[in-house]
Amino acid sequence: MTSLKHHPLDQLLAFYRLMVTIREFELRAAGERKAGLVPGFLHACVGQEATAVGACAALNAEDVITSTHRGHGHLIAKGGDPRFMMAELAGKTSGYCGGKGGSLHLADFDLGVLGANGIVAGGIPMAVGAGLAFQMRREPRVALAFFGDGAVNEGAFHEAANLAGLWKLPVIFFCENNLYGEGTPQHKQAPIRDLSLRAAGYGFPGVIVDGNDVVAVYEITLDAVERARKGDGPTFIEAKTYRQRGHYEGDPMIYRTEEEMAYWRARDPILGFRKRLEEEMEVEPAALDAVDAEVKALLDEAVQFAIHSPAPRPEAALEGVYADDHGGRVF
Amino acid sequence: MTSLKHHPLDQLLAFYRLMVTIREFELRAAGERKAGLVPGFLHACVGQEATAVGACAALNAEDVITSTHRGHGHLIAKGGDPRFMMAELAGKTSGYCGGKGGSLHLADFDLGVLGANGIVAGGIPMAVGAGLAFQMRREPRVALAFFGDGAVNEGAFHEAANLAGLWKLPVIFFCENNLYGEGTPQHKQAPIRDLSLRAAGYGFPGVIVDGNDVVAVYEITLDAVERARKGDGPTFIEAKTYRQRGHYEGDPMIYRTEEEMAYWRARDPILGFRKRLEEEMEVEPAALDAVDAEVKALLDEAVQFAIHSPAPRPEAALEGVYADDHGGRVF
Amino acid sequence: MKREITFAQAINEAMAEEMRRDPSVFLMGEDVGVFGGVFGVSEGLLAEFGEERVRDTPISEAAIVGAGLGAALVGMRPIVEIMFADFVTVAMDQVVNQVAKARYMSGGKARVPLTIRIANGAPGAAAAQHSQSPEAWFMNVPGLKIAIPSTPADAKGLLKTAIRGDDPVLFFEHKMLYSRAGSAPEGEYLIPFGRAAVRREGEDATIIAIGGPVNAALSAAEQLARQSVSVEVIDPRTLVPLDLDALIASVRKTGRAVIVHEAHRRAGPGAEIAALLAEKAIDYLEAPILRVAAANVPIPYNPDLERFVLPTAEDIVEAVMKLIRYEI
Amino acid sequence: MKREITFAQAINEAMAEEMRRDPSVFLMGEDVGVFGGVFGVSEGLLAEFGEERVRDTPISEAAIVGAGLGAALVGMRPIVEIMFADFVTVAMDQVVNQVAKARYMSGGKARVPLTIRIANGAPGAAAAQHSQSPEAWFMNVPGLKIAIPSTPADAKGLLKTAIRGDDPVLFFEHKMLYSRAGSAPEGEYLIPFGRAAVRREGEDATIIAIGGPVNAALSAAEQLARQSVSVEVIDPRTLVPLDLDALIASVRKTGRAVIVHEAHRRAGPGAEIAALLAEKAIDYLEAPILRVAAANVPIPYNPDLERFVLPTAEDIVEAVMKLIRYEI
Ligand SMILES: Cc1ncc(C[n+]2csc(CCOP(=O)(O)OP(=O)(O)O)c2C)c(N)n1
Ligand SMILES: Cc1ncc(C[n+]2csc(CCOP(=O)(O)OP(=O)(O)O)c2C)c(N)n1
Ligand SMILES: [Mg+2]
Ligand SMILES: [Mg+2]
């Protein structure tokens, strides 16, 4: 386990706050889905907050990420505003995508979030393209692609990894191996347990990290970012983690055992980190409680913001398809 | 280098005959293309005869292969009749596909040749499916997929390899690494030189063989076949070889040097093997000359057969799309 | 005997019956086994047929479809499930270049008894990558057959025909139909391809409705009946082959045609049907051919926007009334 | 100044001019660099612009298209070449779900200045996997624009517009056009999307011809003129947006329409055009709308069979004559 002492307390507290924000966002979103504010699919990343936060903490504001169907955490970690996120989930005009994208397509180009994605592995080539642009323009930026253990078996991952390895692009392949793709366990999706093994076939390093240890994730991503900025090319980071909730909200979860879930809940990335903050960094529980309370207030506000934001006019459905729609003649 | 002595002379002579047949077929086909008998694209495998012959010799008649755009050698090695092949190249009814497929789509299901393919890597999943059927039916058959070094960067290869590795299917991934995909050298297509490295990512062995040594190819494929039949799953065989002619007939070949070509011509699989037959097995040159002559006669006959076979009626174009075309209502 | 079952159950039953009947039939796809299919369509099949014949796969659509083809070529009758039609894009080469053409390219020798089940349509607030209806792309790919049932009975009868046939079939199942119940025969029941069903008879206009929106068409017809407009509703059931004769016969009778589907309007299945009518039935037409279909924009997430984009019963009523009122 | 250049040279020139003008424009694809493109279209570009901006790629179409999208999203203007239209199938998800929808899904925020050049059509005896014309699939995918030029001048003018625009464009180049010469302006020359070109004026019938077969349509018109049938030939040049007004105006004048393309007839681009005419121009029509297109079978290898399947000038003449002789 990495030591917390090497890191400024401020930063550690920021990690904590972000992880709690993500957790709280997911729980609130799930609740609001039941309550009817959120109409669409939700894929919560509860249990995986450390990967999002650790990885994005290693990036600069100018760096970009591509995300997945389970992307709320990535966006929050990259600076996303829970208000605009919740409003998007509610399909409101004030949402990140004006209500047209929903959870699966959250994007904020200003924050360098090129988009969540409804297609497993669909966003990975995009990250490679961003990395290519950065390399061509001699910009010291990197692109980080988040994806799951299931995505590693899609052709798009493979082609993208090969291209990035070949051209030594500043791209980080960040795999959140949470042991399942929907209801199918990872071991029934690939014949290997350590997916980072595949990196060797693309000519770049593959490393494994405890995905529930936010500092470890941060440190290992920093290394990869440095490599990428130096022009040494991609790194495949495999973060071993676990999704604590269903694949989607409403998932009956018939495919896994209570023991397994309990095992992983005992390794919860937030509770564990909180404990370490208290023990290793001697943070007062009250200080952390205060953070929790602030986050709750933030999320209260986000929900209120979403509720009170206007719904789009139905005709807005016809806008935003093209930069130039030739006066509507393109429809 | 493997010793010839371990193999019956008959078999070695059969290898020789098949390799010469392939070479002769390619040269005649190229000639007939210039002469006008063959209208379509041709991708000759001159220089790669040892891979086709060595690999297919390790298979039984009931085993199946999938092939590529450079598939004449594979078909001949699996028992294809040069007459029906040449007739297909000429677009005649007596051709393997009745003139509808041409070089790119040669297939003979009776011989277990599931088809050449115009799509790079397109046939690999098919081989996996055949292997799946064999496994499900408890048949001791294997499926071997031929593909090139370029194909290894397509998503279809990756997905197919993962599936075969996962399900331990009786499939052999046979990569003919001839150093180029069209005009682009292998080292500009992937960051690794030994593509067999990728097998580890799919949980099965990857092995390398001198693809210009027919006996070595035969032996290594036999091992893979045995593994597959035992239920131990796939093997990735990477055969290092070289295509001596253009990517296609007519290729200006501006992308490679005369030195490189000369280097590989000096390692010609047929000339080398012939020399070894003469030296190690003490075969009389005259005996080999006789084989050459017989093959030439066979190819003369094949060309004549193609020339004198009837062309299809134009309306035949509308036949053979469906097993049941609902009295034509499906068009 | 008829009884009420859901569309999903009908599909389940068709698969189960065919798997019992023929050991070469098997199912593979993502989460079709333990999970029973994300829409519950394959529930119980794993228990009855075991892991070998009800196969959970990796997320590798190209490999799965290609493996289905390979297995079919050596004598199996695979059923491959594509969870959302949007994902067929990752298997597009296998469907278009391999599956569809294997037979023709081999000079008519290959037999490809492969059924690809594809869940299409908008399930509601699923946004642009989980709501598509790409049937028309495949109508443009000779070598495929396309079934698109709208009732449990048709789903059962057409799927059994698809599985037993020797040609590759894309079988589109609209997600909003899965939970709809309807009567469907027990046991052996096969519906031939290429026979449209007249869902309702009428005199004043023909609605040709495809897949999911057949129900909207029927409710539109109901509303129109109250306004004394008598509408015939025809469901082609298979797009390839298409029962053009039935469509022409109806248009000949009514003189007016509205085509309804959930695919985007531009170059959707309705384009082909309209073009065929404009070629073969123009003399019978007393008014323009109208299409009621998804607007030419990606499907938005917000349900109000989505409703605005998708075809509704009101849109159909309006289109029919436009034709009724039309004067040359 | 006008001079004669080939279609391939026109495309080359458009790319070179735009690359000179804007450093964010670059080209990537299989063998576009050292080889100069398998059809020679990018000859000389590597020498002028270097390996960074003229990039030979691995055989990984999904990654290439996706990388083009990613680069576009962060400010580049990539041109991606798909060597044969048949191969766009392996990149289908990227084109359909990512490229086409990126802007809409982000609420109109993404800018996707990406041009995907695709060689379509049958080059002769190339068989079923190297001869396809899949334009119509993409007409059914909102978010894309589609250009399909038939002359060197149009190729140049439309490609420059595509590269400079902020929307993703699929740019279809018929392989048989590459070596055809025609006059084309030197230097700056941009053609707006959505403006059809009247290639020949006429009174008796309208031929709407798309891409490669525009030439066959013109030669059919020539033959028909000798039989005193005056035919108007219209080339839409872009399918999305489509210049429907121009098509309607012509049909209004002639009363007869034949649509010609090399895509398969069923659900090809002509289906949409016929459907639009059947909706908006039915009152002007004196005869059925006919389509002359590839038959609904995979493209066969044998050249005689291929000719039988593909649309020819004779087929067009026959279709026009059928309309001329048509009596209601
Ligand atoms: C191409 C494609 N196939 C299937 C799906 C359906 N699907 C959505 S998420 C998912 C599982 C993804 O697993 P993984 O990559 O491990 O991510 P996780 O859900 O575990 O975060 C599947 C199969 C999809 N969205 N896209
Ligand atoms: C999907 C796809 N992309 C591109 C092509 C064009 N193409 C045909 S062969 C070839 C090179 C293949 O290289 P490799 O796999 O090494 O086989 P080789 O030609 O060397 O035998 C390419 C790019 C194709 N046929 N299919
Ligand atoms: Mg997972
Ligand atoms: Mg090669």
Side-chain angles (χ1 to χ4, degrees):
Chain A
M1 198 177 282
T2 50
S3 162
L4 301 193
K5 303 267 184 207
H6 302 134
H7 301 278
L9 183 58
D10 275 6
Q11 185 175 30
L12 297 175
L13 288 175
F15 288 178
Y16 180 76
R17 178 183 299 267
L18 276 172
M19 288 203 291
V20 173
T21 307
I22 295 172
R23 172 76 49 99
E24 190 66 19
F25 184 90
E26 296 298 48
L27 298 178
R28 297 298 290 264
E32 294 304 330
R33 184 172 180 279
K34 277 204 172 156
L37 177 66
V38 175
F41 297 141
L42 280 190
H43 303 86
C45 69
V46 170
Q48 305 180 201
E49 295 85 353
T51 48
V53 171
C56 290
L59 302 177
N60 293 339
E62 309 78 47
D63 297 328
V64 304
I65 64 168
T66 61
S67 175
T68 68
H69 57 286
R70 200 176 303 290
H72 303 162
H74 308 146
L75 176 47
I76 290 176
K78 194 74 175 57
D81 187 323
R83 290 177 304 162
F84 307 148
M85 291 174 65
M86 197 62 83
E88 184 58 32
L89 268 50
K92 299 299 183 74
T93 42
S94 58
Y96 268 116
C97 314
K100 286 179 188 153
S103 167
L104 284 174
H105 307 298
L106 286 164
D108 185 338
F109 300 99
D110 295 333
L111 293 175
V113 179
L114 302 190
N117 217 299
I119 304 296
V120 169
I124 310 177
M126 217 187 282
V128 170
L132 172 61
F134 302 155
Q135 186 192 66
M136 287 179 71
R137 295 192 303 233
R138 311 283 184 275
E139 294 170 352
R141 298 163 71 186
V142 310
L144 183 147
F146 284 108
F147 52 88
D149 48 293
V152 172
N153 305 315
E154 282 281 7
F157 156 74
H158 173 74
E159 296 188 10
N162 181 63
L163 197 62
L166 175 67
W167 289 346
K168 280 196 179 300
L169 299 178
V171 178
I172 293 154
F173 292 84
F174 195 103
C175 177
E176 298 176 288
N177 183 347
N178 63 5
L179 302 185
Y180 286 87
E182 296 205 346
T184 304
Q186 190 276 323
H187 67 82
K188 286 178 91 177
Q189 302 214 23
I192 55 172
R193 295 296 74 78
D194 294 333
L195 297 165
S196 45
L197 243 174
R198 290 198 173 152
Y202 310 117
F204 53 80
V207 294
I208 296 176
V209 66
D210 176 354
N212 285 14
D213 179 344
V214 65
V215 174
V217 172
Y218 170 63
E219 291 179 352
I220 211 161
T221 311
L222 261 189
D223 290 348
V225 168
E226 197 184 330
R227 247 182 76 78
R229 285 206 219 283
K230 274 201 319 217
D232 290 345
T235 303
F236 185 111
I237 299 174
E238 178 181 6
K240 307 274 194 184
T241 183
Y242 194 74
R243 120 170 100 67
Q244 290 184 12
R245 295 178 70 87
H247 169 63
Y248 54 90
E249 292 306 306
D251 178 353
M253 290 203 277
I254 50 175
Y255 49 82
R256 56 186 185 177
T257 62
E258 184 46 51
E259 293 73 56
E260 182 182 288
M261 292 196 273
Y263 174 92
W264 282 98
R265 274 196 302 267
R267 278 149 194 81
D268 184 278
I270 300 182
L271 294 183
F273 188 58
R274 186 183 163 115
K275 193 145 163 269
R276 290 183 65 195
L277 285 176
E278 292 175 9
E279 291 174 3
E280 295 174 38
M281 304 298 286
E282 293 166 14
V283 180
E284 287 297 323
L288 298 171
D289 289 344
V291 173
D292 294 357
E294 283 163 31
V295 168
K296 278 205 167 35
L298 187 76
L299 266 298
D300 282 342
E301 194 197 330
V303 170
Q304 289 306 313
F305 179 81
I307 290 174
H308 295 108
S309 288
R313 300 160 292 115
E315 308 75 38
L318 305 181
E319 297 158 9
V321 184
Y322 296 94
D324 174 5
D325 73 1
H326 304 268
R329 289 197 306 135
V330 89
F331 297 115
Chain B
M1 198 178 283
T2 50
S3 162
L4 300 195
K5 302 271 184 203
H6 302 131
H7 299 277
L9 183 57
D10 274 7
Q11 184 175 31
L12 297 175
L13 288 175
F15 288 178
Y16 180 77
R17 178 183 299 265
L18 275 172
M19 288 204 291
V20 173
T21 306
I22 294 172
R23 172 76 48 100
E24 189 67 18
F25 184 90
E26 296 297 49
L27 298 178
R28 297 298 290 266
E32 294 304 330
R33 185 173 179 279
K34 279 205 170 151
L37 177 66
V38 174
F41 297 141
L42 281 190
H43 303 87
C45 68
V46 169
Q48 305 179 201
E49 296 85 352
T51 48
V53 171
C56 290
L59 302 177
N60 293 338
E62 309 77 48
D63 297 328
V64 304
I65 63 169
T66 62
S67 175
T68 69
H69 57 286
R70 201 174 304 287
H72 303 161
H74 308 145
L75 176 48
I76 290 176
K78 194 73 173 60
D81 187 323
R83 290 176 305 162
F84 307 148
M85 292 174 65
M86 197 62 84
E88 184 58 33
L89 268 50
K92 300 299 183 75
T93 42
S94 58
Y96 268 115
C97 314
K100 286 178 189 153
S103 167
L104 283 175
H105 306 298
L106 286 163
D108 185 339
F109 299 99
D110 295 333
L111 293 175
V113 179
L114 302 190
N117 216 300
I119 305 295
V120 169
I124 309 178
M126 215 188 284
V128 170
L132 172 59
F134 301 157
Q135 186 192 66
M136 287 178 71
R137 295 191 304 233
R138 312 282 186 277
E139 293 171 353
R141 299 162 71 185
V142 309
L144 184 148
F146 284 108
F147 52 88
D149 48 294
V152 172
N153 305 316
E154 282 280 6
F157 156 73
H158 173 73
E159 297 188 9
N162 181 63
L163 197 62
L166 176 66
W167 290 348
K168 281 197 176 302
L169 299 179
V171 178
I172 294 154
F173 292 84
F174 195 103
C175 177
E176 297 176 288
N177 183 347
N178 64 7
L179 302 185
Y180 286 87
E182 296 203 346
T184 304
Q186 191 276 324
H187 66 84
K188 288 178 88 178
Q189 303 214 23
I192 55 172
R193 295 296 75 75
D194 294 333
L195 297 166
S196 44
L197 243 173
R198 291 197 172 155
Y202 309 117
F204 53 80
V207 294
I208 296 177
V209 66
D210 176 355
N212 284 14
D213 178 344
V214 65
V215 173
V217 171
Y218 169 63
E219 290 177 353
I220 210 160
T221 311
L222 261 189
D223 289 347
V225 168
E226 197 183 332
R227 246 183 76 78
R229 284 206 219 285
K230 272 201 320 216
D232 290 345
T235 303
F236 185 111
I237 299 174
E238 177 181 6
K240 308 272 193 186
T241 183
Y242 193 74
R243 124 170 97 68
Q244 291 184 12
R245 296 179 70 89
H247 169 63
Y248 54 90
E249 293 303 308
D251 178 354
M253 288 201 279
I254 50 174
Y255 50 83
R256 55 186 187 177
T257 63
E258 184 47 52
E259 293 73 54
E260 182 182 291
M261 292 197 273
Y263 173 91
W264 282 97
R265 274 196 301 269
R267 278 150 194 81
D268 184 278
I270 298 182
L271 295 182
F273 188 58
R274 184 182 164 114
K275 193 147 164 268
R276 290 182 66 197
L277 284 176
E278 291 175 9
E279 290 175 3
E280 294 174 39
M281 303 298 287
E282 292 168 15
V283 181
E284 289 295 323
L288 298 171
D289 289 346
V291 173
D292 294 356
E294 284 163 29
V295 167
K296 281 206 163 37
L298 186 76
L299 266 300
D300 282 343
E301 196 198 327
V303 170
Q304 288 309 311
F305 179 82
I307 291 174
H308 294 108
S309 287
R313 299 158 293 116
E315 308 76 37
L318 305 181
E319 297 158 10
V321 184
Y322 295 94
D324 174 5
D325 73 1
H326 303 268
R329 289 196 307 138
V330 90
F331 296 114
Chain C
M1 212 203 86
K2 292 217 179 185
R3 76 256 116 102
E4 294 261 314
I5 54 175
T6 67
F7 193 79
Q9 284 165 339
I11 293 167
N12 183 291
E13 192 169 282
M15 292 195 287
E17 287 178 13
E18 293 307 301
M19 286 175 77
R20 274 176 220 132
R21 184 178 171 272
D22 181 347
S24 67
V25 178
F26 69 101
L27 171 66
M28 58 181 166
E30 293 155 17
D31 285 301
V32 298
V34 175
F35 205 93
V38 293
F39 302 108
V41 174
S42 43
E43 255 171 37
L45 296 185
L46 177 65
E48 178 173 354
F49 300 102
E51 284 203 331
E52 264 216 320
R53 294 179 69 196
V54 181
R55 309 186 75 97
D56 281 325
T57 68
I59 313 173
S60 309
E61 288 81 0
I64 303 167
V65 171
L69 170 60
L73 287 175
V74 299
M76 303 297 281
R77 295 189 169 275
I79 307 167
V80 168
E81 178 179 297
I82 299 286
M83 195 188 287
F84 282 74
D86 315 69
F87 313 157
V88 77
T89 52
V90 276
M92 193 75 178
D93 167 60
Q94 290 295 322
V95 175
V96 167
N97 287 323
Q98 313 298 339
V99 169
K101 299 178 173 50
R103 184 179 183 88
Y104 190 76
M105 296 188 307
S106 67
K109 286 192 219 146
R111 244 175 23 122
V112 186
L114 172 63
T115 302
I116 305 179
R117 294 181 33 242
I118 306 179
N120 71 335
Q129 293 176 341
H130 283 75
S131 303
Q132 292 170 88
S133 296
E135 306 87 47
W137 310 348
F138 302 101
M139 293 172 70
N140 189 239
V141 179
L144 301 171
K145 294 180 178 178
I146 302 178
I148 181 160
S150 73
T151 68
D154 283 2
K156 177 167 179 181
L158 291 168
L159 184 52
K160 285 172 70 88
T161 301
I163 296 169
R164 265 187 232 182
D166 283 337
D167 290 308
V169 175
L170 302 194
F171 194 87
F172 286 97
E173 306 167 3
H174 194 292
K175 293 160 210 138
M176 293 297 262
L177 292 177
Y178 280 133
S179 59
R180 281 184 81 105
S183 69
E186 255 173 312
E188 269 312 75
Y189 179 62
L190 287 98
I191 299 176
F193 278 26
R195 300 248 185 95
V198 179
R199 296 271 171 233
R200 177 186 178 113
E201 299 203 12
E203 305 293 326
D204 300 330
T206 300
I207 301 177
I208 300 163
I210 298 166
V214 168
N215 295 305
L218 288 169
S219 88
E222 198 60 51
Q223 288 176 47
L224 286 159
R226 277 181 246 124
Q227 300 172 49
S228 308
V229 177
S230 157
V231 169
E232 183 141 306
V233 178
I234 304 202
D235 174 354
R237 306 200 289 193
T238 58
L239 294 173
V240 180
L242 181 72
D243 190 353
L244 185 58
D245 292 344
L247 307 187
I248 293 175
S250 178
V251 169
R252 180 172 196 160
K253 176 168 71 168
T254 66
R256 298 178 185 87
V258 173
I259 307 163
V260 181
H261 55 65
E262 211 184 279
H264 296 294
R265 178 181 301 111
R266 183 170 52 230
E272 176 62 22
I273 293 174
L276 288 169
L277 294 177
E279 179 184 345
K280 312 266 192 199
I282 200 159
D283 295 347
Y284 313 137
L285 286 167
E286 291 162 31
I289 302 172
L290 296 185
R291 289 174 286 165
V292 178
N296 294 324
V297 305
I299 307 300
Y301 168 71
N302 174 295
D304 293 333
L305 272 54
E306 187 181 14
R307 244 184 313 276
F308 187 79
V309 165
L310 296 180
T312 62
E314 290 63 46
D315 298 333
I316 301 169
V317 168
E318 201 179 297
V320 171
M321 288 312 296
K322 203 166 157 187
L323 297 191
I324 297 287
R325 294 198 200 99
Y326 188 83
E327 276 165 38
I328 303 198
Chain D
M1 208 204 88
K2 292 220 182 184
R3 77 257 114 101
E4 295 260 314
I5 55 176
T6 65
F7 193 79
Q9 284 164 340
I11 293 167
N12 184 291
E13 193 168 282
M15 291 195 287
E17 287 178 14
E18 294 306 302
M19 285 175 78
R20 273 176 221 132
R21 185 178 169 271
D22 181 347
S24 68
V25 177
F26 70 101
L27 171 66
M28 59 180 165
E30 293 155 16
D31 285 299
V32 298
V34 175
F35 205 93
V38 293
F39 303 107
V41 173
S42 44
E43 256 169 37
L45 297 185
L46 176 65
E48 180 172 355
F49 300 100
E51 283 203 332
E52 263 217 323
R53 294 180 69 197
V54 181
R55 307 185 77 95
D56 282 324
T57 69
I59 313 173
S60 309
E61 288 81 1
I64 304 166
V65 170
L69 169 59
L73 287 176
V74 299
M76 303 295 283
R77 294 190 170 273
I79 308 168
V80 167
E81 177 178 297
I82 298 287
M83 195 189 287
F84 282 73
D86 315 69
F87 312 156
V88 78
T89 51
V90 276
M92 193 77 179
D93 167 60
Q94 290 296 321
V95 175
V96 166
N97 287 322
Q98 313 298 338
V99 169
K101 300 176 172 49
R103 185 179 183 87
Y104 190 76
M105 295 187 309
S106 66
K109 287 192 219 147
R111 245 174 23 121
V112 186
L114 171 64
T115 302
I116 305 179
R117 294 181 35 243
I118 306 179
N120 71 335
Q129 293 176 341
H130 283 74
S131 302
Q132 291 170 88
S133 295
E135 307 86 47
W137 311 347
F138 302 102
M139 295 172 69
N140 189 238
V141 179
L144 303 171
K145 295 180 177 175
I146 302 177
I148 181 161
S150 73
T151 69
D154 284 1
K156 177 169 179 180
L158 292 170
L159 184 53
K160 285 171 70 90
T161 301
I163 296 169
R164 263 185 233 184
D166 283 336
D167 291 308
V169 175
L170 302 194
F171 194 87
F172 286 97
E173 306 167 4
H174 194 292
K175 294 161 207 134
M176 294 298 261
L177 292 176
Y178 280 133
S179 59
R180 282 184 80 107
S183 70
E186 255 171 311
E188 267 314 74
Y189 180 61
L190 287 97
I191 299 177
F193 277 26
R195 299 251 185 92
V198 178
R199 297 271 172 234
R200 177 186 178 113
E201 300 203 11
E203 305 294 327
D204 300 330
T206 300
I207 301 177
I208 300 163
I210 298 166
V214 168
N215 294 306
L218 288 169
S219 90
E222 199 60 53
Q223 288 176 47
L224 285 159
R226 278 182 247 122
Q227 300 172 50
S228 309
V229 176
S230 158
V231 169
E232 184 142 305
V233 178
I234 305 202
D235 173 355
R237 305 201 289 194
T238 57
L239 294 173
V240 179
L242 181 72
D243 190 352
L244 185 58
D245 292 345
L247 307 187
I248 293 175
S250 179
V251 169
R252 180 173 196 157
K253 175 169 72 170
T254 65
R256 296 179 186 87
V258 173
I259 307 162
V260 182
H261 56 65
E262 210 184 279
H264 296 293
R265 178 183 301 112
R266 183 171 52 230
E272 176 62 24
I273 294 174
L276 287 169
L277 294 176
E279 178 184 347
K280 312 264 191 200
I282 199 160
D283 296 346
Y284 312 138
L285 285 168
E286 292 161 30
I289 303 171
L290 295 186
R291 289 174 287 165
V292 178
N296 294 325
V297 305
I299 308 299
Y301 169 70
N302 174 295
D304 293 333
L305 271 54
E306 187 181 14
R307 245 185 312 276
F308 186 79
V309 164
L310 296 179
T312 61
E314 290 63 46
D315 298 333
I316 302 169
V317 168
E318 201 178 298
V320 171
M321 287 312 295
K322 204 165 152 185
L323 296 191
I324 298 288
R325 294 198 201 100
Y326 188 83
E327 278 166 36
I328 304 198

